[in-house]
Amino acid sequence: MLLLLLLQVLASCLWLGHSEVVTSFESSCPQFFFREIPPNEALEPENPVWICQRYQNQYYFATLYDRNRRIPVYSAYLYQPAPGKRPKTWLVEPQLIGPTYPKTMEREWTLLNKFGVTLEQLSESQAILQDYKNLTGMNRGHLNPSSHHPNPNSRVATFTLTNIVPQDEKLNGGAWKNYEQQTMIGKTQGCNTTYVIVGAVPGNNYIAKGRVNKPSHIWASACCEVDTKQRKAWGVIAENDKNKVQLLTLGELEDLLTELYGRDQVSLFDSDCPR
């Protein structure tokens, strides 16, 4: 019995040590994608990083991150809205510095003061708090919003800078907020499980002296399971300098993203999600 207990503890420790920066979503946190299938390679940047977003030793969503532009390409999660306070603490991803650093997101202060990380080391790997200070006409825009999550830990997990892009403040507080908080409620009526992927199309402009890309467009997509045989899907997109959200079919969004990226045909969800 003691040997069995020791083996269980060892197995638990090994699981907790699973790296947050991973080689693929399929092998590490596939649960955030419909049929456990992430988007195809058409959205991948030159220097991608796959992050299973981890807080307090639990995965809460997945982010494909663009190291060069220091913004997320997309974040994928399950839509589970519930009332709750909006977090205030911003976190960063230690594993982007190197595999020897903590496997859960941490505050900048913690890394600088407890793990001996320099601000230069941190800033080389990702966006930092300083990059988002003194913004004019822009906010720190969540791809995966805290309001779509059911408990304090899951909401805190969305407050990582690897889930943030420079977003037009009128759009962020206007039409995009209306989509997140109103349209999504209506569209998900009757859904048992809703898989969401929200992304950002890289633009030609940067903030923070060229360090962080300002996306040209923000987009969102969803595939909802009504029951074992019935599904519905949709997409939206907004130009990142206009307070307007365009509602699309999933197929229309994929075609538009294909044009904007100029690569192969974009596929966001498994083919069983209606286009």
Side-chain angles (χ1 to χ4, degrees):
M1 180 64 76
L2 181 58
L3 179 60
L4 179 61
L5 181 61
L6 288 172
L7 288 173
Q8 288 174 334
V9 170
L10 177 60
S12 175
C13 290
L14 288 172
W15 186 88
L16 290 174
H18 192 78
S19 175
E20 188 172 6
V21 171
V22 298
T23 55
S24 77
F25 292 137
E26 294 96 328
S27 63
S28 301
C29 53
Q31 66 268 31
F32 302 115
F33 302 93
F34 175 67
R35 295 275 168 84
E36 301 191 343
I37 298 174
N40 67 350
E41 296 177 355
L43 297 178
E44 288 182 14
E46 287 184 11
N47 195 0
V49 184
W50 292 264
I51 305 173
C52 291
Q53 297 282 14
R54 183 177 180 141
Y55 180 68
Q56 299 290 353
N57 288 324
Q58 183 172 339
Y59 292 146
Y60 287 105
F61 63 105
T63 298
L64 177 62
Y65 192 72
D66 185 337
R67 277 187 184 271
N68 293 349
R69 296 183 178 95
R70 296 184 177 88
I71 58 169
V73 178
Y74 63 74
S75 287
Y77 61 96
L78 299 178
Y79 177 69
Q80 299 172 309
K85 292 183 179 179
R86 179 181 169 88
K88 295 181 180 179
T89 300
W90 289 96
L91 304 167
V92 291
E93 177 47 65
Q95 289 266 300
L96 287 178
I97 306 169
T100 60
Y101 291 98
K103 296 174 174 62
T104 61
M105 55 185 75
E106 299 281 355
R107 291 187 302 156
E108 273 188 22
W109 185 94
T110 302
L111 287 176
L112 298 177
N113 291 278
K114 294 189 176 181
F115 290 92
V117 174
T118 66
L119 197 58
E120 183 180 3
Q121 281 180 299
L122 185 59
S123 65
E124 283 177 359
S125 68
Q126 59 200 286
I128 59 175
L129 289 172
Q130 181 64 38
D131 293 328
Y132 283 92
K133 287 185 176 178
N134 305 317
L135 291 180
T136 302
M138 286 180 287
N139 294 148
R140 287 175 282 201
H142 284 74
L143 295 190
N144 175 5
S146 64
S147 61
H148 286 185
H149 292 271
N151 56 59
N153 277 357
S154 59
R155 287 190 286 271
V156 168
T158 68
F159 270 66
T160 167
L161 294 182
T162 55
N163 180 46
I164 298 298
V165 298
Q167 187 174 16
D168 181 89
E169 63 179 1
K170 291 182 179 178
L171 175 63
N172 190 29
W176 196 260
K177 182 179 180 180
N178 183 68
Y179 170 72
E180 289 179 339
Q181 298 188 2
Q182 303 299 326
T183 307
M184 278 291 287
I185 293 174
K187 297 289 284 184
T188 55
Q189 290 298 309
C191 296
N192 287 320
T193 305
T194 302
Y195 297 87
V196 179
I197 302 174
V198 183
V201 180
N204 296 321
N205 298 313
Y206 284 75
I207 66 167
K209 298 180 180 179
R211 282 180 40 81
V212 179
N213 185 266
K214 179 189 175 185
S216 63
H217 297 73
I218 313 294
W219 55 270
S221 59
C223 181
C224 127
E225 291 183 306
V226 178
D227 53 40
T228 54
K229 296 182 179 180
Q230 185 181 359
R231 294 167 203 93
K232 55 183 180 178
W234 62 90
V236 297
I237 195 165
E239 294 181 57
N240 196 19
D241 58 0
K242 296 178 183 176
N243 186 20
K244 183 180 179 181
V245 170
Q246 183 181 5
L247 185 61
L248 305 167
T249 66
L250 176 58
E252 288 171 340
L253 175 63
E254 290 175 332
D255 288 345
L256 184 52
L257 291 177
T258 301
E259 290 181 22
L260 290 170
Y261 278 87
R263 302 180 202 159
D264 296 334
Q265 175 66 40
V266 171
S267 176
L268 298 174
F269 291 99
D270 178 77
S271 59
D272 277 349
C273 291
R275 264 57 184 180

